[in-house]
Amino acid sequence: MENEDIFSVEQEEEFDAESTAKVEYSEDDIKTLDWKEHIRRRPGMYIGKLGDGSNFDDGIYVLIKEVLDNAIDEYMMGFGKQIMVNVIDGCVTVRDFGRGIPLGKVVDASSKMNTGGKYDSKAFKKSVGLNGVGIKAVNALSTEFYIQSIRDGQSKSVLYRCGNIVEESPIEPTEEPNGTLVRFIPDASIFRDYHYKDEFIVPLLKNYTFLNTGLAIVFNGKRYVSRNGLLDLLRDNMTTEPLYPPIHLKGEDIEIALTHANQHGEEYYTFVNGQHTTQGGTHLTAFKESVSRTIKDYFDRNFEYSDIRNGMIAAVSIKVEEPVFESQTKTKLGSRDMGPEGPTVAKFVGDFVKNELDNYLHRNLDIAGVILKKVQESERDRKAMAGVTKLAREKAKKVNLHNKKLLDCRVHLNDVKGDEEKKLASSIFITEGDSAAGSITKIRNVETQAVFSLRGKPKNSYGVPAKILYENDEFNLLQAALNIEEGIDGLRYNNVIIATDADVDGMHIRLLLLTFFLQFFPDMIKKGHLYVLQTPLFRVRNRKLTKRGGGGRSSAAANEETYYCYSDEERIAAINKLGDNAEITRFKGLGEISPDEFRGFIGADMRVDRVSLRKEDTVAELLEFYMGKNTMERQNFIIENLVIEDDSQIS
């Protein structure tokens, strides 16, 4: 579906007359950057987006992963059964017990690009990384990087600062066991105000244990280990009860676990050589095709593939010789073949699924019966909605172009080509009303930031059939704007940001939207695409400067004594700084914040809360309580937890 035919797209292109002027081009313009300077100038090429640690895919976690990948490779080769990881006050230490880097090559391995021991596939046949880049990127992007290799009673260490050697030890005797130790501190000038969160580190480490049964990873003193591989991964990630015990299939270079649940959409966890390919790739495409075809052939029914996969939760891990990823961050597999002399990925995965899953279903008729019932239910629901969805899509196409529901951006997550960093930055703000949308629209980055404006409150979608997605105009147009009508594979924006007012109505709209996504697109939340925008509740500024005409952000002096506060604690701290001269404004709606003020709130320093969905969150019970029909119970809860705001100081 072409969104340009559905929504108006804002045309915001600037013309710089000077760009047409003659530009000199000589030998002096040709430059060769030092290896570390190139990484520091273009970090996005190596670690994706930077971030401050607020999101699971921020660069500081990629740094940890790059170091861990080397340790995991050693384990996969049969060396070292334990990895020690410590993260304390922004300093990361990783100690493995593998073979250690050859002592004469410690400097080369840590500071010379395209240098490594994985080019010879005989040594690292199915390694995570082959390009010799990852550890150097960590080195260049750290204010301090220390590496020590221990081999057979001897040790060699090097200390770097921003990629420059400041101390190098000679080879000397040691009694420590073999292995490699890496310690680094990310550069705060690149990762501004960064902070590590255990909630993002722990799943990363758990995935390594799920994919390497028997490997122990000790993180800040806590030990993680898995005995059941992908079965443990599914059990750890499922937020609803499975309809049948997960099917677990293992072969040489492939492992699969799958089940169905009473939830909408599809949920996949895919891996290549231990690398979590969050954006899928050729192996996921092959799995989805083959599992659908196998189940269809088993039942000998003309089922739609979408009905077979609806509610499916699966994990797929394969090992590929010399894998090709679509970027240095290795989040999407591009390999077509399993190796230089091996079958294609599609044939390898397809043959395995066809043989093993078909055999499993013939041996387990009870589980086959549950799958059949689930597929038939999905088929009935789809057919019942067929008329509704057709009319809704036709209506969406005919939406008046002057309605301007969507003000689009230029770069999208699902673009086939384009800047990877910009694609990851692609965002859409879901706002309420024209005033809020207007402020954001005027100062947004038209390259990567889109705006979708709601009209009034959307319907409470809790406990209603899926046809509400099409019968309700707001939901119908929203899912069309996001391009998720057929599932989140086509999602156009990496970050979907709910931006509502900080008053009662705004909070209610936020809750209605969260309910909508939790009910019908839980996989979008689990993949980390949904956020809530934090906007300041208060502005505290110097009353004297305001009276002189220099208020707000229009003067440097006023800027120094204007504080935007996101909590009562920040408001009180600002009042204490300004004393009797403090003038406090309470922002109750986004439309009250001027575009100039809004500039900082959706820019580089934007504050967002990621919406997460974990097994322990008991989402079903929460939705039933807050969005269900238990009116008196909910009313009593509100009364018991009512907070009266003291606005005596607020102008």
Side-chain angles (χ1 to χ4, degrees):
M1 181 178 293
E2 295 181 2
N3 286 298
E4 289 76 13
D5 294 334
I6 304 172
F7 306 102
S8 64
V9 181
E10 186 179 48
Q11 303 297 321
E12 296 188 46
E13 297 187 355
E14 297 179 358
F15 178 77
D16 183 357
E18 294 182 2
S19 64
T20 62
K22 184 178 179 180
V23 178
E24 294 295 332
Y25 182 56
S26 66
E27 288 85 349
D28 293 338
D29 295 306
I30 307 297
K31 300 181 183 300
T32 300
L33 295 178
D34 175 78
W35 70 273
K36 55 185 174 295
E37 185 180 359
H38 188 274
I39 295 173
R40 292 176 67 83
R41 284 195 184 188
R42 300 287 186 270
M45 291 177 58
Y46 301 90
I47 61 167
K49 69 177 186 179
L50 297 180
D52 62 359
S54 300
N55 304 306
F56 75 99
D57 56 350
D58 283 349
I60 59 171
Y61 302 109
V62 178
L63 299 182
I64 295 179
K65 184 186 74 64
E66 291 289 2
V67 177
L68 276 170
D69 283 348
N70 292 328
I72 296 298
D73 284 336
E74 282 295 296
Y75 175 81
M76 290 174 62
M77 294 297 295
F79 301 94
K81 296 183 178 180
Q82 180 170 276
I83 301 172
M84 311 290 291
V85 181
N86 288 287
V87 180
I88 301 173
D89 296 331
C91 178
V92 179
T93 305
V94 177
R95 171 67 156 100
D96 70 46
F97 297 89
R99 291 166 294 180
I101 302 168
L103 301 185
K105 293 292 183 178
V106 173
V107 172
D108 290 356
S110 55
S111 64
K112 289 188 179 180
M113 294 293 283
N114 304 316
T115 300
K118 305 176 188 178
Y119 297 104
D120 182 356
S121 61
K122 295 179 181 178
F124 284 91
K125 185 178 180 181
K126 298 178 177 70
S127 172
V128 173
L130 294 171
N131 297 324
V133 173
I135 198 75
K136 289 81 169 179
V138 181
N139 186 354
L141 298 174
S142 299
T143 50
E144 180 175 303
F145 179 92
Y146 174 83
I147 185 167
Q148 179 187 17
S149 176
I150 302 102
R151 284 174 68 99
D152 304 325
Q154 292 186 307
S155 170
K156 168 77 176 183
S157 64
V158 187
L159 175 65
Y160 298 84
R161 296 194 189 280
C162 299
N164 296 304
I165 295 178
V166 294
E167 186 177 326
E168 180 180 354
S169 76
I171 296 176
E172 51 193 8
T174 180
E175 295 183 359
E176 292 186 50
N178 284 358
T180 303
L181 182 149
V182 172
R183 183 180 68 245
F184 66 90
I185 301 174
D187 191 336
S189 68
I190 297 173
F191 306 96
R192 293 188 300 171
D193 300 321
Y194 79 88
H195 52 285
Y196 280 108
K197 290 189 173 183
D198 289 1
E199 65 186 276
F200 298 139
I201 296 176
V202 170
L204 172 69
L205 303 183
K206 280 185 175 181
N207 282 344
Y208 280 119
T209 64
F210 296 145
L211 295 162
N212 300 277
T213 54
L215 169 67
I217 297 182
V218 181
F219 173 56
N220 286 355
K222 186 170 183 179
R223 190 170 184 266
Y224 297 95
V225 66
S226 170
R227 301 299 178 192
N228 302 298
L230 294 187
L231 276 183
D232 289 338
L233 184 147
L234 283 194
R235 291 165 181 160
D236 196 64
N237 285 277
M238 284 190 295
T239 54
T240 53
E241 288 299 314
L243 294 178
Y244 53 89
I247 299 169
H248 192 201
L249 307 172
K250 295 181 71 173
E252 185 178 355
D253 293 337
I254 187 168
E255 180 181 1
I256 289 171
L258 68 96
T259 186
H260 281 82
N262 281 324
Q263 66 181 42
H264 295 277
E266 307 165 33
E267 186 176 328
Y268 301 106
Y269 303 88
T270 64
F271 303 85
V272 175
N273 297 3
Q275 167 63 37
H276 191 184
T277 44
T278 54
Q279 295 184 45
T282 52
H283 56 321
L284 176 57
T285 301
F287 171 77
K288 291 167 68 174
E289 169 72 21
S290 57
V291 77
S292 303
R293 185 175 59 251
T294 300
I295 292 175
K296 178 180 178 178
D297 291 347
Y298 173 82
F299 291 117
D300 195 20
R301 305 281 186 92
N302 192 28
F303 288 134
E304 295 280 343
Y305 282 1
S306 60
D307 295 330
I308 292 172
R309 297 199 302 258
N310 184 42
M312 179 177 287
I313 306 169
V316 181
S317 173
I318 67 171
K319 293 180 180 179
V320 177
E321 188 174 338
E322 299 182 6
V324 176
F325 297 98
E326 294 195 1
S327 68
Q328 171 60 25
T329 52
K330 308 183 185 77
T331 54
K332 188 174 184 179
L333 180 67
S335 296
R336 299 292 173 186
D337 302 312
M338 294 296 293
E341 299 178 0
T344 65
V345 171
K347 179 173 174 53
F348 176 77
V349 174
D351 288 350
F352 176 80
V353 171
K354 179 181 179 180
N355 294 331
E356 298 301 321
L357 181 57
D358 185 72
N359 289 340
Y360 183 93
L361 294 175
H362 277 94
R363 291 194 302 265
N364 297 272
L365 300 182
D366 53 338
I367 290 180
V370 177
I371 294 175
L372 177 61
K373 183 180 178 181
K374 171 61 178 173
V375 175
Q376 290 174 326
E377 288 176 354
S378 296
E379 183 181 52
R380 284 195 298 269
D381 291 344
R382 176 179 54 80
K383 289 181 177 179
M385 291 198 308
V388 177
T389 57
K390 182 179 179 181
L391 290 174
R393 287 172 179 171
E394 289 176 355
K395 183 176 181 180
K397 289 180 181 180
K398 295 177 181 178
V399 168
N400 190 327
L401 291 178
H402 298 292
N403 231 2
K404 292 191 176 181
K405 295 287 291 183
L406 172 69
L407 300 176
D408 210 352
C409 56
R410 298 186 182 119
V411 179
H412 303 101
L413 178 63
N414 59 1
D415 290 344
V416 177
K417 296 180 180 180
D419 187 305
E420 191 69 22
E421 195 168 359
K422 285 185 177 180
K423 286 164 67 174
L424 292 175
S426 61
S427 306
I428 183 169
F429 296 96
I430 304 174
T431 67
E432 49 173 312
D434 291 332
S435 58
S439 292
I440 295 178
T441 299
K442 289 177 182 177
I443 47 81
R444 70 190 176 105
N445 181 336
V446 296
E447 283 289 306
T448 59
Q449 293 179 330
V451 182
F452 181 90
S453 178
L454 294 167
R455 298 289 186 271
K457 290 185 179 179
K459 186 179 178 65
N460 181 3
S461 59
Y462 178 71
V464 300
K467 64 180 181 178
I468 186 64
L469 299 178
Y470 302 95
E471 291 179 335
N472 180 270
D473 282 350
E474 298 305 304
F475 288 150
N476 180 32
L477 298 176
L478 176 57
Q479 67 167 347
L482 298 176
N483 197 35
I484 55 176
E485 295 163 295
E486 306 296 334
I488 72 164
D489 284 350
L491 182 65
R492 302 181 77 227
Y493 311 94
N494 190 44
N495 311 300
V496 178
I497 304 170
I498 299 172
T500 57
D501 291 344
D503 58 9
V504 174
D505 283 339
M507 294 297 178
H508 189 205
I509 292 173
R510 178 189 299 180
L511 188 56
L512 291 168
L513 287 171
L514 289 174
T515 302
F516 164 71
F517 287 114
L518 285 166
Q519 284 276 100
F520 298 107
F521 300 99
D523 46 341
M524 195 169 89
I525 297 172
K526 288 189 175 182
K527 286 187 175 294
H529 293 298
L530 188 62
Y531 298 86
V532 173
L533 177 68
Q534 291 186 36
T535 51
L537 298 174
F538 307 96
R539 180 183 61 209
V540 181
R541 59 184 177 182
N542 190 318
R543 185 181 286 107
K544 287 184 176 180
L545 289 174
T546 304
K547 289 181 178 179
R548 293 175 193 162
R553 291 182 175 245
S554 59
S555 89
N559 271 335
E560 293 175 1
E561 294 201 272
T562 299
Y563 302 94
Y564 294 94
C565 310
Y566 292 76
S567 65
D568 283 322
E569 291 76 14
E570 291 184 14
R571 173 176 65 92
I572 293 169
I575 292 172
N576 290 337
K577 288 180 180 178
L578 296 178
D580 295 338
N581 294 323
E583 176 190 83
I584 307 101
T585 300
R586 169 69 157 92
F587 294 126
K588 295 190 177 181
L590 301 184
E592 298 175 2
I593 304 175
S594 70
D596 282 343
E597 288 179 303
F598 229 119
R599 191 178 306 279
F601 309 143
I602 64 169
D605 297 323
M606 177 170 60
R607 297 193 195 185
V608 291
D609 292 320
R610 176 176 170 247
V611 181
S612 61
L613 184 55
R614 302 168 300 178
K615 188 171 186 176
E616 59 268 28
D617 287 332
T618 61
V619 173
E621 291 83 354
L622 285 173
L623 287 176
E624 171 64 30
F625 180 79
Y626 288 107
M627 307 305 292
K629 297 180 180 180
N630 54 341
T631 309
M632 286 306 301
E633 184 181 354
R634 189 161 57 243
Q635 284 182 355
N636 292 333
F637 173 83
I638 293 171
I639 292 170
E640 292 170 4
N641 293 273
L642 187 64
V643 175
I644 306 297
E645 185 179 86
D646 178 11
D647 59 359
S648 60
Q649 290 184 295
I650 301 175
S651 61

